Amino acid sequence: MSDQSQLVTFQLGEELYAINIMDVKEIVRVQEIRALPNAPSYVEGIFNLRGEIIPIINLHKRFHLKKALTSEEDELLSGFIIIEIDNMKLGVIIDRISRVVTIEKEQVQPPPQMLTGIGAEYIQGVIRQEEGGYLIILNIRDLFNPRELQKIVELRR
């Protein structure tokens, strides 16, 4: 078992987040999203990715995060990260894609109590950054409980 893992990092609001590269199917530019009636507030809608209908999740709404102040240059780096949970693809809106980083497992610390925004139960750990602040590693499998996932599955029909 390797002591390293690769993470895709991205900005959501003021913070830098990461998810394991193995959970990322692809990263796509902002597409046209079709709104869905009766969807949970954090489901922005659906979009068609090469014939596959993908629900788009807005983590800003889910966790009450402010959108990052972005420049036009950043707009080019915004889009969706397509992830897969239990054989279901979801698109997560991001403010700005950052980069892929390789981390050592021992760099990961438990999340500090005062971390704002996303609840600790959704966080796998944090990595203190040289320039200050934290890189927050999300546990995407825990972002949605089974009931929420079921609701999202039903929306796709």
Side-chain angles (χ1 to χ4, degrees):
M1 189 87 169
S2 168
D3 287 343
Q4 287 186 329
S5 57
Q6 285 195 308
L7 304 172
V8 174
T9 64
F10 56 93
Q11 189 176 349
L12 254 183
E14 300 301 302
E15 305 282 354
L16 198 58
Y17 292 93
I19 53 181
N20 192 307
I21 200 166
M22 300 310 285
D23 292 324
V24 176
K25 293 294 154 214
E26 62 185 295
I27 297 164
V28 293
R29 300 282 287 278
V30 172
Q31 310 279 332
E32 196 176 313
I33 302 173
R34 216 174 70 226
L36 285 172
N38 307 322
S41 64
Y42 56 83
V43 177
E44 203 66 25
I46 53 174
F47 89 107
N48 187 327
L49 180 67
R50 296 184 295 279
E52 193 171 2
I53 301 301
I54 302 201
I56 298 298
I57 306 300
N58 187 329
L59 292 181
H60 299 90
K61 288 181 182 171
R62 172 111 169 115
F63 298 115
H64 311 291
L65 301 171
K66 283 207 274 291
K67 242 178 125 29
L69 297 169
T70 51
S71 65
E72 267 181 47
E73 195 178 298
D74 290 338
E75 294 287 311
L76 297 173
L77 297 170
S78 69
F80 312 136
I81 292 182
I82 307 297
I83 58 174
E84 195 166 334
I85 305 174
D86 300 335
N87 294 324
M88 180 172 77
K89 286 187 181 157
L90 296 172
V92 175
I93 297 173
I94 57 169
D95 289 333
R96 185 171 194 272
I97 191 71
S98 187
R99 57 181 205 237
V100 174
V101 296
T102 301
I103 57 144
E104 301 289 335
K105 293 251 190 320
E106 68 264 11
Q107 288 178 281
V108 180
Q109 304 165 349
Q113 292 303 315
M114 78 292 170
L115 207 60
T116 56
I118 292 184
E121 66 270 26
Y122 307 115
I123 298 173
Q124 207 168 321
V126 296
I127 297 173
R128 192 180 289 277
Q129 303 222 276
E130 285 160 22
E131 59 274 9
Y134 290 99
L135 174 61
I136 303 165
I137 305 168
L138 294 178
N139 186 344
I140 63 156
R141 305 218 173 312
D142 292 342
L143 282 182
F144 306 98
N145 66 42
R147 210 171 61 237
E148 290 171 319
L149 277 177
Q150 189 53 44
K151 208 170 193 173
I152 294 168
V153 167
E154 287 164 8
L155 290 173
R156 292 170 55 195
R157 297 204 176 105

